[in-house]
Amino acid sequence: MTDHKTGTRQEWLAARLELLEAEKALTRRSDELARQRRQLPWVRVEKDYRFATEDGDASLRDLFGGRSQMLVYHFMFDPDWDEGCPSCSAVTDGFAGSIPHFEHHDVAFVVVSRAPLGKLVAYKRRMGWDVRWVSSLSSSFNYDFHVTADPAVAPVEYNYKDQAQLEAENVAWRDWSGEQPGMSAFARDGDDVFHTYSAYSRGFDGLWTMWQWLDRAPLGRNEGDGSWFHRHDEYPATAGGPS
């Protein structure tokens, strides 16, 4: 572990009650942010995006499956890769079991990547996920929703910053192109589909349930150089066990 201050139970309780007030304030603020998300204006989706699915070719509207709302996870899986992104894989581990609950709340949930459908299906079987995963390879969907950066295809934007702003913060953006994570929300009204919300980078940090649990562990995320982090089927059998 590490050196850490200790105290009596009474001292711990006093500190914990003070922290509880801060946690309650954060919860109230989070509720208010959720209300503000719902108040954003909806933008009609004009393009006819097409996706390759296990049931054949589908439009964005088709992906709703008859529901009025849809959440999309933009999973980083480049067409040239043989495996999905480890970080996106951990995010998917966290939400895969929630999908039946979403669906019974009138919310479709779809994972979208640019990799060809065959790679997506093979990888989700390896990971043991029962998720609807579709390929956007044949459309501009990823570029239009700013989760694939390629200045040769479309102006680069990520987390609502353009190329110049991104480079000003990190010069590595100057010569970089490729996949980025994100999530988007859509609403359907008859034949009309609307984009209602998107979040990127740490904007969907709270949806990565692994971090939310680790934030409550004694050492927090304790990321270090990240060398401990793997896909769930790649951890050594002794990882984190008794030394």
Side-chain angles (χ1 to χ4, degrees), residues 75-83 113-116 119 178-179:
F75 191 115
M76 296 168 62
F77 202 144
D78 184 275
D80 293 331
W81 299 352
D82 293 322
E83 299 176 295
S113 301
R114 281 200 311 128
K119 286 187 176 183
E179 308 302 303

Side-chain angles (χ1 to χ4, degrees), residues 135-166:
S135 173
S136 60
L137 182 59
S138 65
S139 79
S140 62
F141 183 79
N142 274 48
Y143 300 98
D144 293 346
F145 286 91
H146 310 295
V147 288
T148 299
D150 186 347
V153 176
V156 172
E157 177 187 308
Y158 188 64
N159 206 20
Y160 307 102
K161 297 175 183 176
D162 62 21
Q163 181 82 51
Q165 292 171 305
L166 292 166

Side-chain angles (χ1 to χ4, degrees), residues 177-188:
S177 63
E179 308 302 303
Q180 292 286 354
M183 63 76 55
S184 295
F186 299 89
R188 183 179 63 84

